[in-house]
Coordinates of all heavy atoms in Angstrom, one line a residue:
M1198 N 0.8 -1.2 0.0 CA 0.0 0.0 0.0 C 0.9 1.2 0.0 O 1.8 1.4 0.8 CB -0.9 0.0 1.2 CG -1.8 1.2 1.4 SD -2.7 1.0 2.9 CE -4.1 1.9 2.5
T1199 N 0.6 2.2 -0.9 CA 1.4 3.4 -1.0 C 0.7 4.5 -0.3 O -0.5 4.7 -0.4 CB 1.5 3.8 -2.5 OG1 2.1 2.7 -3.2 CG2 2.4 5.0 -2.7
T1200 N 1.5 5.2 0.5 CA 0.9 6.4 1.2 C 1.6 7.6 0.6 O 2.8 7.6 0.4 CB 1.1 6.3 2.7 OG1 2.5 6.2 3.0 CG2 0.4 5.1 3.3
S1201 N 0.9 8.7 0.5 CA 1.5 9.9 0.0 C 1.9 10.8 1.2 O 1.2 10.7 2.2 CB 0.5 10.7 -0.9 OG -0.6 11.0 -0.2
N1202 N 3.0 11.5 1.0 CA 3.5 12.3 2.1 C 3.0 13.8 1.8 O 3.7 14.6 1.4 CB 5.0 12.3 2.1 CG 5.5 11.0 2.5 OD1 4.9 10.3 3.3 ND2 6.7 10.6 2.0
K1203 N 1.7 14.0 2.1 CA 1.1 15.3 1.9 C 1.4 16.1 3.1 O 1.3 15.6 4.2 CB -0.4 15.2 1.6 CG -0.7 14.6 0.3 CD -2.2 14.7 0.0 CE -2.5 14.1 -1.4 NZ -3.9 14.3 -1.8
T1204 N 1.7 17.4 2.9 CA 2.0 18.3 4.0 C 0.9 19.4 4.0 O 0.5 19.8 2.9 CB 3.4 18.9 3.9 OG1 3.5 19.6 2.7 CG2 4.4 17.8 4.0
L1205 N 0.6 19.8 5.2 CA -0.4 20.9 5.3 C 0.3 22.2 5.0 O 1.4 22.5 5.5 CB -1.0 20.9 6.7 CG -1.9 22.1 7.0 CD1 -3.2 22.0 6.2 CD2 -2.3 22.1 8.5
R1206 N -0.3 23.0 4.1 CA 0.3 24.3 3.8 C -0.8 25.4 4.0 O -2.0 25.1 3.9 CB 0.8 24.3 2.3 CG 1.8 23.3 2.1 CD 2.3 23.3 0.7 NE 3.2 22.2 0.4 CZ 3.7 22.0 -0.7 NH1 3.6 22.8 -1.7 NH2 4.5 20.9 -0.9
T1207 N -0.3 26.6 4.1 CA -1.2 27.7 4.2 C -0.8 28.8 3.2 O 0.4 29.2 3.2 CB -1.2 28.3 5.6 OG1 -1.6 27.3 6.5 CG2 -2.3 29.4 5.7
C1208 N -1.6 29.2 2.3 CA -1.3 30.3 1.3 C -1.3 31.6 2.0 O -1.7 31.8 3.1 CB -2.2 30.2 0.1 SG -3.8 30.9 0.3
S1209 N -0.9 32.6 1.2 CA -0.9 34.0 1.7 C -2.3 34.6 2.0 O -2.4 35.5 2.8 CB -0.2 34.9 0.7 OG -0.9 34.9 -0.5
K1210 N -3.3 33.9 1.4 CA -4.7 34.4 1.7 C -5.3 33.6 2.9 O -6.4 33.8 3.3 CB -5.5 34.2 0.5 CG -5.2 35.1 -0.6 CD -6.2 35.0 -1.8 CE -5.9 36.0 -2.9 NZ -6.8 35.8 -4.0
G1211 N -4.5 32.7 3.5 CA -5.0 32.0 4.7 C -5.7 30.7 4.4 O -6.2 30.0 5.3
H1212 N -5.7 30.2 3.1 CA -6.3 28.9 2.8 C -5.4 27.8 3.3 O -4.2 27.8 3.0 CB -6.5 28.8 1.3 CG -7.4 29.8 0.7 ND1 -7.1 30.6 -0.4 CD2 -8.6 30.3 1.1 CE1 -8.0 31.4 -0.7 NE2 -9.0 31.2 0.2
N1213 N -5.9 26.8 3.9 CA -5.2 25.6 4.3 C -5.4 24.5 3.3 O -6.6 24.3 2.9 CB -5.6 25.1 5.7 CG -5.2 26.1 6.8 OD1 -4.1 26.6 6.8 ND2 -6.1 26.3 7.7
Y1214 N -4.4 23.8 2.8 CA -4.5 22.8 1.8 C -3.4 21.8 2.0 O -2.3 22.1 2.6 CB -4.6 23.3 0.4 CG -3.3 24.1 0.0 CD1 -2.3 23.5 -0.7 CD2 -3.2 25.4 0.4 CE1 -1.2 24.2 -1.1 CE2 -2.1 26.2 0.0 CZ -1.0 25.5 -0.7 OH 0.1 26.2 -1.0
Y1215 N -3.5 20.6 1.5 CA -2.5 19.6 1.6 C -1.9 19.3 0.2 O -2.7 19.3 -0.8 CB -3.1 18.2 2.1 CG -3.4 18.2 3.5 CD1 -4.6 18.6 4.0 CD2 -2.4 17.9 4.5 CE1 -4.9 18.6 5.4 CE2 -2.7 17.9 5.8 CZ -3.9 18.3 6.3 OH -4.2 18.3 7.6
K1216 N -0.6 19.2 0.1 CA 0.1 18.9 -1.2 C 1.2 18.0 -0.9 O 1.9 18.0 0.1 CB 0.6 20.2 -1.8 CG -0.4 21.0 -2.6 CD 0.2 21.3 -3.9 CE -0.9 21.9 -4.8 NZ -0.3 22.8 -5.8
S1217 N 1.5 17.1 -1.9 CA 2.6 16.2 -1.8 C 3.7 16.6 -2.7 O 4.8 16.1 -2.6 CB 2.2 14.8 -2.2 OG 1.6 14.8 -3.5
S1218 N 3.5 17.6 -3.6 CA 4.5 18.0 -4.5 C 5.1 19.3 -4.0 O 4.7 19.9 -3.1 CB 4.0 18.2 -5.9 OG 3.1 19.4 -5.9
D1219 N 6.2 19.8 -4.8 CA 6.8 21.1 -4.4 C 6.0 22.3 -5.0 O 6.4 23.4 -4.8 CB 8.2 21.1 -5.0 CG 9.1 20.2 -4.3 OD1 8.8 19.8 -3.1 OD2 10.1 19.7 -4.8
C1220 N 5.0 22.0 -5.8 CA 4.2 23.1 -6.4 C 3.6 24.1 -5.3 O 2.9 23.6 -4.4 CB 3.1 22.5 -7.2 SG 2.0 23.7 -8.0
P1221 N 3.9 25.4 -5.5 CA 3.5 26.3 -4.5 C 2.1 26.8 -4.7 O 1.6 27.6 -3.9 CB 4.5 27.5 -4.6 CG 4.8 27.4 -6.1 CD 4.8 26.0 -6.5
T1222 N 1.4 26.4 -5.7 CA 0.1 26.9 -6.1 C -1.0 26.4 -5.1 O -1.2 25.2 -4.9 CB -0.3 26.6 -7.5 OG1 0.7 27.0 -8.4 CG2 -1.6 27.2 -7.9
C1223 N -1.8 27.3 -4.6 CA -2.9 27.0 -3.7 C -4.1 26.6 -4.6 O -4.5 27.4 -5.4 CB -3.3 28.2 -2.8 SG -4.8 28.0 -1.9
P1224 N -4.6 25.4 -4.4 CA -5.7 24.9 -5.3 C -7.0 25.7 -5.0 O -7.8 25.9 -5.9 CB -5.9 23.5 -4.9 CG -5.2 23.3 -3.6 CD -4.1 24.3 -3.5
I1225 N -7.2 26.3 -3.8 CA -8.3 27.1 -3.5 C -8.3 28.4 -4.2 O -9.2 28.8 -4.9 CB -8.5 27.2 -2.0 CG1 -8.7 25.9 -1.3 CG2 -9.7 28.1 -1.7 CD1 -8.4 25.9 0.2
C1226 N -7.1 29.1 -4.2 CA -6.9 30.3 -4.9 C -7.0 30.1 -6.4 O -7.6 30.9 -7.1 CB -5.5 30.9 -4.6 SG -5.3 31.6 -2.9
E1227 N -6.5 29.0 -6.9 CA -6.5 28.7 -8.3 C -8.0 28.5 -8.8 O -8.3 29.0 -9.8 CB -5.7 27.4 -8.6 CG -5.4 27.3 -10.0 CD -4.6 28.4 -10.7 OE1 -3.8 29.0 -10.0 OE2 -4.9 28.7 -11.8
Q1228 N -8.8 27.9 -8.0 CA -10.2 27.7 -8.4 C -10.9 29.0 -8.4 O -11.8 29.3 -9.2 CB -10.9 26.7 -7.4 CG -12.3 26.3 -7.8 CD -12.3 25.6 -9.2 OE1 -11.5 24.9 -9.5 NE2 -13.4 25.9 -9.9
E1229 N -10.6 29.9 -7.4 CA -11.2 31.2 -7.3 C -10.9 32.1 -8.5 O -11.7 32.9 -8.9 CB -10.8 31.9 -6.0 CG -11.4 31.3 -4.8 CD -10.9 31.9 -3.5 OE1 -10.0 32.8 -3.5 OE2 -11.5 31.6 -2.4
R1230 N -9.7 32.0 -9.1 CA -9.3 32.8 -10.2 C -9.6 32.3 -11.6 O -9.4 32.9 -12.6 CB -7.9 33.3 -10.1 CG -6.9 32.3 -10.0 CD -5.4 32.9 -9.9 NE -4.6 32.3 -11.0 CZ -4.4 32.7 -12.2 NH1 -5.0 33.8 -12.6 NH2 -3.7 32.0 -13.0
K1231 N -10.2 31.1 -11.6 CA -10.6 30.5 -12.9 C -11.6 31.3 -13.6 O -12.7 31.6 -13.0 CB -11.1 29.0 -12.7 CG -11.4 28.3 -14.0 CD -11.9 26.9 -13.8 CE -12.2 26.3 -15.2 NZ -12.5 24.9 -15.1
P1232 N -11.4 31.7 -14.8 CA -12.4 32.5 -15.6 C -13.7 31.7 -15.7 O -13.7 30.5 -15.9 CB -11.8 32.7 -16.9 CG -10.4 32.3 -16.8 CD -10.3 31.4 -15.7
D1233 N -14.8 32.4 -15.8 CA -16.2 31.8 -15.9 C -16.5 31.6 -17.4 O -17.3 30.7 -17.7 CB -17.3 32.7 -15.4 CG -17.2 32.8 -13.9 OD1 -16.7 31.8 -13.2 OD2 -17.6 33.9 -13.3
N1234 N -15.8 32.3 -18.3 CA -16.1 32.1 -19.7 C -14.8 32.5 -20.5 O -13.8 32.9 -19.9 CB -17.3 33.0 -20.2 CG -17.1 34.4 -19.8 OD1 -16.0 35.0 -19.9 ND2 -18.2 35.0 -19.2
G1235 N -14.9 32.3 -21.8 CA -13.7 32.5 -22.7 C -12.9 31.3 -22.8 O -13.1 30.3 -22.2
F1236 N -11.9 31.3 -23.7 CA -11.2 30.1 -24.1 C -10.3 29.7 -22.9 O -10.1 28.5 -22.8 CB -10.3 30.4 -25.3 CG -9.0 31.1 -25.1 CD1 -7.8 30.4 -25.1 CD2 -9.0 32.5 -25.0 CE1 -6.6 31.1 -24.9 CE2 -7.8 33.2 -24.8 CZ -6.6 32.5 -24.7
L1237 N -9.9 30.5 -22.0 CA -9.1 30.1 -20.9 C -9.9 29.3 -19.9 O -9.3 28.5 -19.2 CB -8.5 31.3 -20.2 CG -7.4 32.1 -21.0 CD1 -7.0 33.3 -20.2 CD2 -6.2 31.2 -21.2
S1238 N -11.2 29.5 -19.8 CA -12.0 28.8 -18.9 C -12.1 27.3 -19.2 O -12.5 26.5 -18.4 CB -13.4 29.4 -18.8 OG -14.1 29.2 -20.0
S1239 N -11.8 26.9 -20.5 CA -12.0 25.5 -20.9 C -10.7 24.7 -20.6 O -10.7 23.5 -20.8 CB -12.3 25.4 -22.4 OG -11.2 25.8 -23.1
L1240 N -9.6 25.4 -20.2 CA -8.3 24.7 -20.0 C -8.1 24.3 -18.5 O -8.7 24.9 -17.6 CB -7.2 25.7 -20.4 CG -7.2 26.1 -21.8 CD1 -6.1 27.2 -22.0 CD2 -7.0 25.0 -22.8
S1241 N -7.2 23.3 -18.3 CA -6.8 23.0 -17.0 C -6.0 24.1 -16.4 O -5.5 25.0 -17.1 CB -5.9 21.7 -17.1 OG -4.7 22.0 -17.7
A1242 N -5.9 24.1 -15.1 CA -5.2 25.2 -14.4 C -3.7 25.3 -14.9 O -3.2 26.4 -15.2 CB -5.2 25.0 -12.9
P1243 N -3.0 24.2 -15.0 CA -1.6 24.3 -15.5 C -1.5 24.9 -16.9 O -0.6 25.7 -17.2 CB -1.0 22.9 -15.4 CG -1.9 22.2 -14.4 CD -3.2 22.8 -14.6
A1244 N -2.4 24.5 -17.8 CA -2.4 25.0 -19.1 C -2.7 26.5 -19.2 O -2.1 27.3 -19.9 CB -3.3 24.2 -20.0
R1245 N -3.7 26.8 -18.4 CA -4.1 28.3 -18.3 C -3.0 29.1 -17.8 O -2.6 30.1 -18.4 CB -5.4 28.4 -17.4 CG -5.9 29.8 -17.4 CD -7.2 29.9 -16.6 NE -7.0 29.8 -15.2 CZ -7.3 28.7 -14.5 NH1 -8.0 27.7 -15.0 NH2 -7.1 28.7 -13.2
R1246 N -2.3 28.6 -16.7 CA -1.2 29.4 -16.2 C 0.0 29.5 -17.2 O 0.7 30.5 -17.3 CB -0.7 28.7 -14.9 CG -1.5 29.0 -13.7 CD -0.9 28.6 -12.4 NE -0.4 27.3 -12.3 CZ -1.1 26.2 -11.9 NH1 -2.3 26.4 -11.5 NH2 -0.6 25.0 -11.9
A1247 N 0.2 28.4 -17.9 CA 1.2 28.4 -18.9 C 1.0 29.5 -20.0 O 2.0 30.2 -20.3 CB 1.3 27.1 -19.7
L1248 N -0.2 29.7 -20.4 CA -0.5 30.8 -21.4 C -0.3 32.1 -20.7 O 0.3 33.0 -21.2 CB -1.9 30.6 -22.0 CG -2.1 29.4 -22.9 CD1 -3.5 29.3 -23.3 CD2 -1.1 29.4 -24.0
E1249 N -1.0 32.3 -19.5 CA -0.9 33.6 -18.8 C 0.5 34.0 -18.5 O 0.9 35.1 -18.6 CB -1.7 33.5 -17.5 CG -3.2 33.4 -17.8 CD -4.0 33.1 -16.5 OE1 -3.4 32.6 -15.5 OE2 -5.2 33.3 -16.5
N1250 N 1.3 33.0 -18.1 CA 2.7 33.3 -17.7 C 3.5 33.7 -19.0 O 4.6 34.3 -18.8 CB 3.4 32.1 -17.1 CG 2.9 31.9 -15.7 OD1 2.3 32.8 -15.0 ND2 3.0 30.7 -15.2
N1251 N 3.0 33.4 -20.1 CA 3.7 33.8 -21.4 C 3.0 35.0 -22.1 O 3.2 35.3 -23.2 CB 3.8 32.6 -22.3 CG 4.9 31.7 -21.8 OD1 6.1 31.9 -22.1 ND2 4.6 30.6 -21.1
G1252 N 2.1 35.7 -21.3 CA 1.5 36.9 -21.8 C 0.3 36.6 -22.8 O -0.1 37.5 -23.5
I1253 N -0.2 35.4 -22.8 CA -1.3 35.1 -23.7 C -2.6 35.1 -23.0 O -2.9 34.1 -22.2 CB -1.0 33.7 -24.4 CG1 0.3 33.8 -25.2 CG2 -2.2 33.4 -25.4 CD1 0.7 32.4 -25.7
T1254 N -3.4 36.1 -23.2 CA -4.7 36.2 -22.6 C -5.9 36.4 -23.6 O -7.0 36.5 -23.2 CB -4.8 37.3 -21.5 OG1 -4.4 38.5 -22.2 CG2 -3.8 37.0 -20.4
S1255 N -5.5 36.4 -24.9 CA -6.5 36.6 -25.9 C -6.2 35.6 -27.0 O -5.1 35.1 -27.2 CB -6.6 38.0 -26.4 OG -5.4 38.3 -27.2
L1256 N -7.3 35.3 -27.8 CA -7.1 34.4 -29.0 C -6.2 35.1 -30.0 O -5.4 34.4 -30.7 CB -8.5 34.1 -29.6 CG -9.3 33.1 -28.7 CD1 -10.7 33.0 -29.3 CD2 -8.6 31.8 -28.6
Q1257 N -6.2 36.4 -30.1 CA -5.4 37.1 -31.1 C -3.9 36.9 -30.7 O -3.1 36.6 -31.6 CB -5.7 38.6 -31.1 CG -7.0 38.9 -31.8 CD -8.2 38.6 -30.9 OE1 -8.1 38.5 -29.7 NE2 -9.4 38.5 -31.5
Q1258 N -3.6 37.0 -29.4 CA -2.2 36.7 -29.0 C -1.9 35.3 -29.2 O -0.7 35.0 -29.6 CB -2.1 37.1 -27.5 CG -2.2 38.5 -27.2 CD -2.4 38.8 -25.7 OE1 -3.0 38.1 -25.0 NE2 -1.9 40.0 -25.3
L1259 N -2.8 34.3 -28.9 CA -2.5 32.9 -29.1 C -2.2 32.6 -30.6 O -1.3 31.8 -30.9 CB -3.7 32.1 -28.7 CG -3.7 30.6 -28.8 CD1 -2.5 30.0 -28.0 CD2 -5.0 30.0 -28.5
S1260 N -2.9 33.3 -31.5 CA -2.7 33.0 -32.9 C -1.3 33.4 -33.5 O -0.9 33.0 -34.6 CB -3.8 33.7 -33.8 OG -3.7 35.1 -33.7
A1261 N -0.6 34.1 -32.7 CA 0.8 34.6 -33.1 C 1.8 33.5 -32.8 O 3.0 33.6 -33.1 CB 1.2 35.8 -32.3
F1262 N 1.4 32.3 -32.2 CA 2.3 31.2 -31.9 C 1.9 30.0 -32.7 O 0.8 29.8 -33.0 CB 2.2 30.9 -30.4 CG 2.7 31.9 -29.5 CD1 1.9 33.0 -29.1 CD2 4.0 31.9 -29.0 CE1 2.4 34.0 -28.3 CE2 4.5 32.9 -28.2 CZ 3.7 33.9 -27.8
S1263 N 2.9 29.1 -32.9 CA 2.6 27.8 -33.5 C 2.3 26.8 -32.4 O 2.6 27.1 -31.3 CB 3.9 27.4 -34.3 OG 4.9 27.0 -33.4
E1264 N 1.7 25.7 -32.8 CA 1.4 24.7 -31.8 C 2.7 24.2 -31.2 O 2.7 23.9 -29.9 CB 0.7 23.5 -32.5 CG -0.7 23.8 -33.0 CD -1.4 22.7 -33.5 OE1 -1.0 21.5 -33.3 OE2 -2.5 22.9 -34.2
K1265 N 3.8 24.1 -31.9 CA 5.1 23.6 -31.3 C 5.5 24.6 -30.2 O 6.0 24.2 -29.2 CB 6.1 23.4 -32.4 CG 6.0 22.2 -33.1 CD 7.2 22.0 -34.1 CE 7.2 20.7 -34.7 NZ 8.4 20.5 -35.5
E1266 N 5.4 25.9 -30.5 CA 5.8 26.9 -29.5 C 5.0 26.8 -28.3 O 5.5 26.9 -27.2 CB 5.7 28.3 -30.1 CG 6.7 28.6 -31.2 CD 6.5 29.9 -32.0 OE1 5.3 30.2 -32.2 OE2 7.5 30.5 -32.3
I1267 N 3.7 26.6 -28.4 CA 2.8 26.5 -27.3 C 3.1 25.3 -26.4 O 3.1 25.4 -25.2 CB 1.3 26.5 -27.8 CG1 0.9 27.8 -28.4 CG2 0.3 26.1 -26.6 CD1 0.9 29.0 -27.5
L1268 N 3.4 24.2 -27.1 CA 3.7 23.0 -26.3 C 5.0 23.1 -25.6 O 5.3 22.3 -24.6 CB 3.8 21.8 -27.3 CG 2.4 21.3 -27.8 CD1 2.6 20.2 -28.8 CD2 1.6 20.7 -26.6
R1269 N 5.9 24.0 -25.9 CA 7.1 24.2 -25.1 C 6.9 24.9 -23.8 O 7.8 24.9 -23.0 CB 8.1 25.0 -26.0 CG 8.7 24.2 -27.1 CD 9.8 25.0 -27.8 NE 10.1 24.4 -29.1 CZ 10.0 25.1 -30.3 NH1 9.8 26.4 -30.3 NH2 10.3 24.5 -31.4
F1270 N 5.7 25.5 -23.6 CA 5.5 26.2 -22.4 C 5.3 25.2 -21.2 O 4.6 24.2 -21.4 CB 4.2 27.0 -22.5 CG 4.2 28.2 -23.4 CD1 3.0 28.7 -23.9 CD2 5.4 28.7 -23.9 CE1 3.0 29.8 -24.8 CE2 5.4 29.7 -24.8 CZ 4.2 30.3 -25.3
H1271 N 6.0 25.5 -20.1 CA 5.8 24.6 -18.9 C 4.4 24.6 -18.5 O 3.8 25.6 -18.3 CB 6.7 25.1 -17.8 CG 6.6 24.4 -16.6 ND1 7.1 23.1 -16.4 CD2 5.9 24.6 -15.4 CE1 6.8 22.7 -15.2 NE2 6.1 23.6 -14.6
G1272 N 3.8 23.4 -18.4 CA 2.4 23.2 -17.9 C 1.5 23.0 -19.1 O 0.3 22.6 -18.8
M1273 N 1.9 23.2 -20.3 CA 1.0 23.0 -21.5 C 1.3 21.6 -22.0 O 2.4 21.2 -22.3 CB 1.4 24.0 -22.5 CG 0.5 23.9 -23.8 SD -1.3 24.2 -23.4 CE -1.3 25.9 -23.0
G1274 N 0.2 20.8 -22.2 CA 0.3 19.5 -22.7 C -0.5 19.3 -24.0 O -1.4 20.2 -24.3
P1275 N -0.3 18.3 -24.7 CA -1.0 18.0 -26.0 C -2.6 17.9 -25.9 O -3.3 18.2 -26.8 CB -0.4 16.8 -26.6 CG 0.2 16.1 -25.4 CD 0.6 17.2 -24.4
A1276 N -3.1 17.6 -24.7 CA -4.5 17.4 -24.5 C -5.2 18.8 -24.6 O -6.4 18.8 -24.9 CB -4.8 16.8 -23.2
S1277 N -4.5 19.9 -24.4 CA -5.1 21.2 -24.5 C -5.2 21.7 -26.0 O -6.0 22.7 -26.2 CB -4.3 22.2 -23.7 OG -4.3 21.8 -22.3
L1278 N -4.4 21.2 -26.8 CA -4.4 21.7 -28.2 C -5.7 21.7 -28.9 O -6.1 22.6 -29.6 CB -3.3 21.0 -29.0 CG -1.9 21.5 -28.7 CD1 -0.9 20.7 -29.6 CD2 -1.7 23.0 -28.8
P1279 N -6.5 20.6 -28.9 CA -7.8 20.6 -29.5 C -8.7 21.7 -29.1 O -9.4 22.3 -29.9 CB -8.4 19.2 -29.2 CG -7.2 18.3 -29.0 CD -6.2 19.2 -28.3
K1280 N -8.7 21.9 -27.8 CA -9.6 23.0 -27.2 C -9.1 24.4 -27.8 O -9.9 25.2 -28.1 CB -9.5 23.0 -25.7 CG -10.1 21.8 -25.1 CD -9.9 21.8 -23.6 CE -10.4 20.5 -23.0 NZ -10.2 20.5 -21.5
L1281 N -7.8 24.6 -27.8 CA -7.3 25.8 -28.3 C -7.5 26.0 -29.8 O -7.9 27.1 -30.3 CB -5.8 25.9 -28.1 CG -5.4 26.0 -26.6 CD1 -3.9 25.9 -26.4 CD2 -5.9 27.2 -25.9
R1282 N -7.4 24.9 -30.6 CA -7.6 24.9 -32.0 C -9.1 25.3 -32.3 O -9.4 26.1 -33.1 CB -7.4 23.5 -32.7 CG -6.0 23.5 -33.4 CD -5.9 22.2 -34.1 NE -4.8 21.4 -33.6 CZ -4.8 20.3 -32.9 NH1 -5.9 19.7 -32.7 NH2 -3.7 19.8 -32.5
E1283 N -10.0 24.7 -31.5 CA -11.4 24.9 -31.7 C -11.8 26.4 -31.4 O -12.5 27.0 -32.1 CB -12.2 24.0 -30.8 CG -13.7 24.1 -31.0 CD -14.5 23.2 -30.1 OE1 -14.0 22.2 -29.6 OE2 -15.7 23.5 -29.9
A1284 N -11.2 26.9 -30.3 CA -11.5 28.3 -29.9 C -11.0 29.2 -31.0 O -11.7 30.2 -31.4 CB -10.8 28.6 -28.6
L1285 N -9.8 28.9 -31.6 CA -9.3 29.8 -32.6 C -10.1 29.7 -33.9 O -10.5 30.7 -34.4 CB -7.8 29.4 -33.0 CG -6.7 29.7 -32.0 CD1 -5.5 29.0 -32.3 CD2 -6.5 31.2 -31.9
E1286 N -10.5 28.5 -34.3 CA -11.3 28.3 -35.5 C -12.7 29.0 -35.4 O -13.2 29.5 -36.3 CB -11.4 26.8 -35.8 CG -10.1 26.2 -36.3 CD -10.2 24.7 -36.4 OE1 -11.3 24.1 -36.3 OE2 -9.1 24.1 -36.7
T1287 N -13.3 28.9 -34.2 CA -14.6 29.5 -34.0 C -14.5 31.0 -34.2 O -15.5 31.6 -34.6 CB -15.1 29.2 -32.5 OG1 -15.2 27.7 -32.4 CG2 -16.4 29.8 -32.2
N1288 N -13.4 31.6 -34.0 CA -13.2 33.0 -34.1 C -12.4 33.4 -35.4 O -11.9 34.5 -35.5 CB -12.5 33.5 -32.9 CG -13.4 33.5 -31.7 OD1 -14.2 34.4 -31.5 ND2 -13.3 32.5 -30.9
G1289 N -12.4 32.5 -36.3 CA -11.7 32.8 -37.6 C -10.2 32.9 -37.6 O -9.6 33.5 -38.4
L1290 N -9.6 32.3 -36.6 CA -8.2 32.4 -36.4 C -7.6 31.0 -36.4 O -8.3 30.0 -36.4 CB -7.8 33.0 -35.0 CG -8.3 34.5 -34.8 CD1 -8.2 34.9 -33.4 CD2 -7.6 35.4 -35.7
S1291 N -6.2 30.9 -36.4 CA -5.5 29.7 -36.4 C -4.1 29.9 -35.8 O -3.7 31.0 -35.7 CB -5.4 29.0 -37.8 OG -4.6 29.9 -38.6
F1292 N -3.5 28.8 -35.5 CA -2.1 28.8 -35.0 C -1.2 29.3 -36.1 O -1.5 29.0 -37.3 CB -1.6 27.5 -34.5 CG -2.1 27.1 -33.1 CD1 -3.1 26.1 -33.0 CD2 -1.6 27.7 -32.0 CE1 -3.5 25.8 -31.7 CE2 -2.1 27.4 -30.7 CZ -3.0 26.4 -30.6
K1293 N -0.1 29.9 -35.8 CA 0.9 30.3 -36.8 C 1.4 29.1 -37.4 O 1.6 28.1 -36.8 CB 2.0 31.1 -36.1 CG 3.1 31.6 -37.0 CD 4.1 32.5 -36.2 CE 5.1 31.5 -35.5 NZ 6.2 32.3 -34.9
K1294 N 1.7 29.1 -38.7 CA 2.3 27.9 -39.4 C 3.8 27.9 -39.3 O 4.5 28.8 -39.1 CB 1.9 28.0 -40.9 CG 0.4 27.9 -41.1 CD -0.1 26.5 -40.8 CE -1.6 26.4 -40.9 NZ -2.3 25.3 -40.5

């Protein structure tokens, strides 16, 4: 039987949470800042943070990158690409070739 070594942590906003990794992100804060709509709302938290950390908050900004460039961002995985492609296509845009 495997047991995880989760430690109790408290974020700067006072939320208590348990984590077993070195990731400093508070899951409660992350849920609170998740957008209610728009293309970023359809992504996982790591993928959303990957785009935000690289200054991508609009589809126009996203369309300036190729799929390969997006996949190089820490936190971005191939499972997010179909969602991003669909959002771009719906708005008449596409990834850079």
Side-chain angles (χ1 to χ4, degrees):
M1198 177 183 209
T1199 305
T1200 58
S1201 62
N1202 294 328
K1203 292 187 176 186
T1204 56
L1205 177 62
R1206 299 181 189 181
T1207 304
C1208 76
S1209 61
K1210 291 186 177 179
H1212 300 129
N1213 293 317
Y1214 60 96
Y1215 286 90
K1216 276 230 174 152
S1217 59
S1218 70
D1219 292 336
C1220 176
T1222 304
C1223 169
I1225 300 164
C1226 289
E1227 195 58 38
Q1228 188 61 37
E1229 288 175 353
R1230 56 177 232 94
K1231 181 177 181 177
D1233 292 330
N1234 52 46
F1236 80 103
L1237 291 174
S1238 67
S1239 68
L1240 300 175
S1241 67
R1245 187 176 69 249
R1246 282 192 307 269
L1248 293 177
E1249 291 170 341
N1250 290 338
N1251 284 280
I1253 301 171
T1254 57
S1255 73
L1256 289 171
Q1257 289 75 18
Q1258 291 167 327
L1259 179 64
S1260 69
F1262 292 84
S1263 69
E1264 290 185 18
K1265 280 186 173 186
E1266 290 170 323
I1267 294 295
L1268 285 174
R1269 288 187 197 126
F1270 296 161
H1271 176 75
M1273 183 61 68
S1277 297
L1278 285 181
K1280 294 175 185 177
L1281 294 175
R1282 261 188 239 112
E1283 181 181 342
L1285 287 167
E1286 289 171 8
T1287 299
N1288 289 275
L1290 299 166
S1291 64
F1292 281 109
K1293 180 176 83 173
K1294 297 290 178 189

